[in-house]
Amino acid sequence: MNNSLHNKKILIVGGSSGIGLAISKHAYKAGGQLIIASRNAAGRHNDLAALIGNGIETYSFDITSENETVSVMEEIGDIDHLVITARPEISPAPFAETDIKQAKQAFETKFWGQYQLIQKAQGHIRQNGSIILTTGIAGEKIFKNASTMTIINSATDAFCRLLAVELAPIRVNVVSPGFVAPKPPEVEAYAQQFPSGKIASPEEVADAYIYLMKNPYITGTSLVIDGGAILI
Ligand SMILES: NC(=O)c1ccc[n+]([C@@H]2O[C@H](COP(=O)([O-])OP(=O)(O)OC[C@H]3O[C@@H](n4cnc5c(N)ncnc54)[C@H](OP(=O)(O)O)[C@@H]3O)[C@@H](O)[C@H]2O)c1
């Protein structure tokens, strides 16, 4: 079975920054036909091409907009892999003080955005392809001041397992990152207690997405890349 990424069409929503950018670099080097989409990706095309490679395509769309989601998928056409790393804005706060408008907006981006995108994209994903969602340590372990991400990540984890059954043979998996650079000094200091002794680089986390795209027998799984943070 050919499980190389060579010439595979890979759409990375959120591929213009952070973990998504690291996945983009890695997938492009592996021979993938790379498409990056985010609210500002097309406007940053030249910068992104300089960072990743001249063969990339970029599209601007907002994952919360149904019309923009439909249009962007029609323009892009069929793909092999869909990776979603869009990140919502959310300020840390105790549950009792969390601004419900901000929490709902975070759900709109990270949970309902992926829900809507997958409904519109599934007919474009080739049968031996895959979808990779992103959760995070707040869904694995309870941290004070992170209630919104705890709930979004937990719901996304269940969503992944549901989709792995309903969309088969398309494979559906999740990557759950721990603490990923860059982070403020106090978080770097906290991470010294982890078995890994440090936070992750975006590249270390990106490796997990590449593995899940390539391995044809993994579906419905959450791959935790947290340096052992959950253990302490
Ligand atoms: N970094 C961490 O420590 C960490 C830890 C655990 C989990 N995670 C999860 O990992 C994922 C990636 O995080 P990150 O830190 O790499 O994020 P990031 O650097 O902030 O990048 C987020 C990406 O999402 C895009 N985006 C944001 N809102 C969007 C929207 N409405 N529509 C389309 N694209 C949108 C951004 O581009 P535009 O601005 O151009 O739209 C950008 O490309 C997130 O799901 C996050 O919750 C991160």
Side-chain angles (χ1 to χ4, degrees), residues 27-99:
Y28 188 80
K29 264 195 205 145
Q33 195 186 329
L34 202 71
I35 305 160
I36 296 173
S38 73
R39 289 167 302 182
N40 304 301
R44 294 188 50 214
H45 181 91
N46 291 345
D47 289 350
L48 292 170
L51 286 168
I52 301 162
N54 286 328
I56 63 166
E57 285 176 54
T58 49
Y59 291 86
S60 287
F61 91 114
D62 188 327
I63 200 171
T64 64
S65 159
E66 184 175 0
N67 290 344
E68 291 180 26
T69 301
V70 170
S71 306
V72 82
M73 285 317 305
E74 277 171 3
E75 277 187 74
I76 291 169
D78 288 351
I79 57 174
D80 293 287
H81 300 285
L82 169 64
V83 174
I84 308 175
T85 61
R87 179 184 186 137
E89 296 295 324
I90 185 86
S91 319
F95 166 72
E97 291 163 27
T98 295
D99 175 355

